[in-house]
Amino acid sequence: MAMAAPLTLHLLLALLLGSSGPSRAEPERDSLREELVLTPLPSGDVSATFQFRTRWDSELQHEGVSHYRLFPKSLGQLISKYSVQELHLSLTQGFWRTRFWGQPFLQAPAGTNHHFLRYAVLPREVVCTENLTPWKKLLPCSSKAGLSVLLKAERLFHTSYHSQAVHIRPVCRDSHCTSISWELRQTLTVVFDAYTTGQGKKDWSLFRMFSRTITEACPLASQSHVYVDISKNSQDNVTLEVSPPPKSTYQAVVLGVRRTYAVYDLLNPATFSGSRSLNLQLRWKQQQDSGGHLVPFLHAQRYVSGYGLQTGELSTILHNTHPYRAFPVLLLEIVPWYLRLYIHTLTITTKGKENKPSYIHYQPAQDRLRPHLLEMLIQLPANSVTKVSIQFERALLKWTEYTPDPNHGFYVSPSVLSALVPNLVGTKPTNWEESPLFSTMFPISDSSSHFVRLYTEPLLVNLPTPDFSMPYNVICLTCTVVAVCYGSFYNLLTRTFHLEEPKRSRLVRWLANIIRRIRGVPPL
């Protein structure tokens, strides 16, 4: 018995050491990368773009997955149950002013079979904390650590532009695509008004914009970087100053333009320089010239014209500001059924001449079932303005189909523009896994052009609206008549009447008896 206890203890230690040894250790199949890109805009505003990418080497549609570490379980079950190939969902408040702010950070979804593609737009939705809180819960660190600590709702929703999105897609693990991984990319873009947050100055800092600073990276992240666009600086002219000074810089061709970024690695302890938090600050040494910025080669506007509440016209203006190169644009219009389009009135003019589309597809609407679908491929000449217009007639809805505020109007979803825009600088193939997340958002077809997808502003259209006060007036008048007439009639039918003789005084009775005696009538 004396030898049994040491032998048992030895076996237990061997089993514990064996189970924790390198033979049983497996590499993690999922990873997390987070990054923040701060960009001073030509108008003086500041754009902040957050990206959180979770990648999981798993076949969700074929494997029976029961354990989730970084990838959200709710989204994983959605992909597995409904065989989702891709999902792109975005909530946007405000309008990105492409002409004054430049091209936005947009990720264009890869091609999908059109028989399985579903596209829907809600032109107007109030984006608030009810949308932000579930979005933050999808993050592995939630809002407890990393870049997500800056996501303070009361600061994010007091901005000129706010857009949050969730993108799910399969990506190939190797060049032959023998196996795939699932990528979840959560993006959030906000534009701060520098004059408002900076008290009339264009200088900014993290604390001034978000009311918070960065204390640490997310412990579950393999990479955590902050990039500050310092492209305004040149070797001979330093226009802006970033503090604390960056440890390194990064150059990349973004949307056809070469950019320089100051890089801050949050996983490097030297980034915090012995302090408990990181508060990036940018100061302008020279006054910024907002009029000399580079206008994007492609931008568009959309408006509705006409008078009265019977007919109108939808117009889309397409600008190609490139001095010598023309390129095609794919224009997608989705118009609600209650705006009855006259397709024979479709006109496309460029420089006063007719511009016939290379391709056109039109699917008419069905009342209360589906909207109009109009898709065209239009060639935009160099340095030109193209106008696309079509007339419509307003339909009269049923009184139950109007919104609670019908006089406010009805929103029409924006137009969608897709094009290959020429580059200012040639690009070279790069390793997507080693590149920053913002540089992997732009699919590159060749070294001379890049893909761009733009959205115009939504439109507000008034429809023929009945006078909803008339039912109220009729109800009030009817109730008044019923109360007066029926009430009086009912009162007469149900009331009981009793004859009551009036009481007379003794003097009146005595005089009456004297008169009755004179007449020979018996006294009272």
Side-chain angles (χ1 to χ4, degrees):
M1 295 297 295
M3 296 294 295
L7 180 61
T8 303
L9 180 61
H10 178 74
L11 291 175
L12 289 175
L13 290 176
L15 289 174
L16 291 175
L17 291 176
S19 61
S20 61
S23 60
R24 295 291 300 274
E26 296 182 0
E28 298 294 347
R29 301 174 61 186
D30 52 0
S31 61
L32 170 66
R33 294 176 60 183
E34 60 176 7
E35 96 180 11
L36 168 61
V37 181
L38 300 171
T39 306
L41 301 177
S43 61
D45 302 326
V46 181
S47 170
T49 301
F50 295 83
Q51 283 202 69
F52 304 89
R53 193 202 73 169
T54 304
R55 183 169 177 174
W56 192 9
D57 297 340
S58 174
E59 297 281 352
L60 292 177
Q61 297 179 348
H62 304 288
E63 298 179 3
V65 180
S66 59
H67 175 67
Y68 292 81
R69 195 176 79 98
L70 299 180
F71 202 92
K73 185 177 181 180
S74 57
L75 296 181
Q77 292 177 341
L78 179 67
I79 297 172
S80 177
K81 183 177 181 179
Y82 296 100
S83 300
V84 177
Q85 297 182 2
E86 282 193 36
L87 173 63
H88 302 273
L89 174 64
S90 61
L91 297 173
T92 304
Q93 182 176 0
F95 176 66
W96 184 274
R97 303 162 59 194
T98 306
R99 176 175 172 79
F100 302 99
W101 293 347
Q103 298 287 359
F105 284 144
L106 287 179
Q107 178 180 355
T112 310
N113 190 336
H114 68 280
H115 294 289
F116 302 99
L117 178 63
R118 300 294 181 266
Y119 175 78
V121 176
L122 187 62
R124 181 176 183 267
E125 173 68 17
V126 179
V127 183
C128 60
T129 55
E130 296 179 357
N131 309 114
L132 180 63
T133 302
W135 186 89
K136 291 193 295 185
K137 289 183 178 180
L138 297 177
L139 300 174
C141 289
S142 184
S143 59
K144 307 299 182 182
L147 298 176
S148 57
V149 299
L150 300 177
L151 304 180
K152 191 176 181 181
E154 63 184 40
R155 301 295 298 174
L156 297 180
F157 293 109
H158 286 80
T159 55
S160 303
Y161 176 83
H162 174 276
S163 179
Q164 62 188 67
V166 174
H167 304 280
I168 302 176
R169 65 174 185 175
V171 293
C172 297
R173 299 185 197 177
D174 50 30
S175 58
H176 301 288
C177 204
T178 56
S179 58
I180 63 172
S181 302
W182 283 97
E183 179 188 81
L184 167 63
R185 184 170 297 200
Q186 298 177 242
T187 62
L188 174 64
T189 302
V190 291
V191 176
F192 291 92
D193 189 344
Y195 291 96
T196 302
T197 57
Q199 299 177 356
K201 299 180 181 179
K202 295 183 179 180
D203 301 341
W204 54 264
S205 65
L206 288 181
F207 185 79
R208 184 176 295 174
M209 293 188 296
F210 300 100
S211 297
R212 292 177 180 177
T213 56
I214 302 175
T215 56
E216 62 177 343
C218 176
L220 300 176
S222 59
Q223 293 185 12
S224 181
H225 292 153
V226 177
Y227 296 88
V228 181
D229 191 346
I230 56 174
S231 304
K232 292 288 183 179
N233 290 344
S234 60
Q235 296 181 356
D236 302 329
N237 185 14
V238 179
T239 307
L240 51 85
E241 178 183 1
V242 182
S243 62
K247 303 298 180 181
S248 61
T249 59
Y250 176 80
Q251 289 189 352
V253 178
V254 180
L255 294 172
V257 181
R258 187 172 300 278
R259 299 286 185 180
T260 303
Y261 296 91
V263 183
Y264 297 88
D265 187 0
L266 301 184
L267 296 179
N268 186 3
T271 302
F272 295 90
S273 301
S275 61
R276 296 182 179 180
S277 62
L278 177 63
N279 182 24
L280 295 178
Q281 299 181 10
L282 185 142
R283 297 182 179 90
W284 290 92
K285 290 188 174 182
Q286 300 178 6
Q287 186 176 2
Q288 186 182 11
D289 183 13
S290 59
H293 71 278
L294 180 64
V295 179
F297 289 151
L298 175 63
H299 59 276
Q301 295 87 33
R302 194 181 188 210
Y303 61 89
V304 60
S305 59
Y307 60 90
L309 293 178
Q310 182 177 3
T311 60
E313 184 178 82
L314 292 176
S315 299
T316 304
I317 308 298
L318 310 178
H319 297 264
N320 177 11
T321 61
H322 200 284
Y324 56 88
R325 284 193 60 177
F327 53 85
V329 170
L330 185 63
L331 176 62
L332 175 64
E333 297 270 6
I334 297 181
V335 184
W337 63 268
Y338 46 78
L339 299 182
R340 308 187 190 280
L341 297 182
Y342 295 147
I343 195 64
H344 68 279
T345 64
L346 176 64
T347 58
I348 305 175
T349 57
T350 304
K351 297 181 179 181
K353 299 181 181 180
E354 182 182 2
N355 187 348
K356 293 184 179 180
S358 306
Y359 162 81
I360 185 170
H361 169 70
Y362 174 67
Q363 177 178 300
Q366 292 183 3
D367 289 357
R368 299 171 180 85
L369 293 179
R370 71 183 185 192
H372 301 271
L373 174 63
L374 179 61
E375 193 173 18
M376 298 173 288
L377 184 62
I378 306 173
Q379 187 75 14
L380 301 184
N383 195 17
S384 65
V385 178
T386 302
K387 180 180 180 181
V388 181
S389 60
I390 186 172
Q391 297 180 7
F392 65 89
E393 180 182 0
R394 296 172 170 89
L396 182 63
L397 305 181
K398 298 180 180 179
W399 72 274
T400 56
E401 295 175 342
Y402 286 91
T403 59
D405 53 347
N407 292 311
H408 178 75
F410 291 78
Y411 284 88
V412 180
S413 59
S415 302
V416 184
L417 285 78
S418 305
L420 290 176
V421 180
N423 291 337
L424 284 178
V425 181
T427 59
K428 298 180 180 179
T430 58
N431 188 348
W432 298 120
E433 286 300 318
E434 298 178 358
S435 302
L437 295 179
F438 68 86
S439 64
T440 62
M441 297 177 68
F442 320 109
I444 298 178
S445 60
D446 52 42
S447 60
S448 62
S449 61
H450 62 279
F451 182 82
V452 170
R453 176 163 292 164
L454 298 179
Y455 299 87
T456 63
E457 56 268 45
L459 299 179
L460 185 63
V461 179
N462 291 324
L463 295 181
T465 305
D467 186 3
F468 286 99
S469 64
M470 288 305 297
Y472 174 77
N473 297 335
V474 172
I475 291 173
C476 292
L477 180 60
T478 304
C479 292
T480 303
V481 172
V482 169
V484 173
C485 298
Y486 177 77
S488 302
F489 183 70
Y490 181 80
N491 191 18
L492 291 175
L493 291 177
T494 58
R495 178 178 295 182
T496 303
F497 296 93
H498 299 279
L499 182 61
E500 182 178 359
E501 295 183 358
K503 295 183 179 179
R504 300 176 181 178
S505 62
R506 298 179 62 182
L507 178 60
V508 174
R509 186 176 182 180
W510 179 73
L511 293 175
N513 288 334
I514 293 175
I515 297 173
R516 292 175 69 88
R517 288 194 188 100
I518 296 173
R519 293 180 178 180
V521 180
L524 295 175

